[in-house]
Amino acid sequence: MGNLRQKYTTEEWDEMVDSTKPNKMTAKEFNTKYKDYLEEGHYGLDIHIPSVTKYLDEVFQGLIKIPGFQYSQIKDKYFNCRFYTNLYELLGNRVGAIIENEVERKVTMIMEVHSDYLKHKD
């Protein structure tokens, strides 16, 4: 786990570790909670790691305040988070990209730590 820790600043690491505390909400419950913001015909969150769900629930508390906000997919693609929303259309390419990239980066970080933890758990 030491190598993984070196990739992040102390602030990023502390925030990520805090976000890994258990959460009872499942991906299915997350999608139900935010169904009014889920684009029709899409499946929404498909990462089944409780700490990811917890982090995204906190992020969505802010995103749903943006008029017209919608998401379509949040998934693991080749060990990286992909976060698909309409933020580009709502906020412009630059701001939309900054938000989506930051969410993807942090979720990927949580997934890495979760995977690393499972490898070293025993």
Side-chain angles (χ1 to χ4, degrees):
M1 252 195 303
N3 291 337
L4 181 63
R5 169 64 183 93
Q6 294 171 0
K7 290 171 60 176
Y8 305 102
T9 67
T10 300
E11 181 180 284
E12 289 173 328
W13 183 260
D14 290 345
E15 184 178 330
M16 185 279 317
V17 168
D18 185 55
S19 73
T20 63
K21 293 180 181 170
N23 180 29
K24 302 292 183 197
M25 186 185 303
T26 65
K28 183 178 180 179
E29 291 168 335
F30 177 92
N31 290 323
T32 299
K33 179 176 181 177
Y34 295 106
K35 70 179 186 268
D36 293 342
Y37 306 94
L38 181 58
E39 289 183 31
E40 190 173 332
H42 293 277
Y43 56 78
L45 176 60
D46 191 32
I47 299 173
H48 302 277
I49 300 172
S51 50
V52 168
T53 308
K54 179 181 179 186
Y55 168 73
L56 289 171
D57 187 37
E58 292 170 6
V59 168
F60 269 54
Q61 293 304 307
L63 293 178
I64 63 174
K65 294 176 183 173
I66 299 169
F69 169 75
Q70 289 190 306
Y71 73 109
S72 57
Q73 297 177 12
I74 308 168
K75 64 183 182 178
D76 175 1
K77 185 172 184 179
Y78 306 113
F79 308 106
N80 288 291
C81 174
R82 306 312 303 151
F83 181 55
Y84 299 105
T85 71
N86 65 343
L87 289 172
Y88 286 87
E89 294 87 36
L90 296 175
L91 303 175
N93 286 340
R94 183 164 166 72
V95 175
I98 289 169
I99 294 170
E100 286 188 6
N101 290 337
E102 183 65 10
V103 170
E104 288 176 348
R105 188 181 71 78
K106 288 197 176 181
V107 170
T108 298
M109 184 185 343
I110 294 167
M111 291 181 341
E112 286 177 350
V113 170
H114 179 79
S115 175
D116 200 45
Y117 170 77
L118 291 177
K119 288 179 195 171
H120 294 90
K121 189 170 124 177
D122 297 328

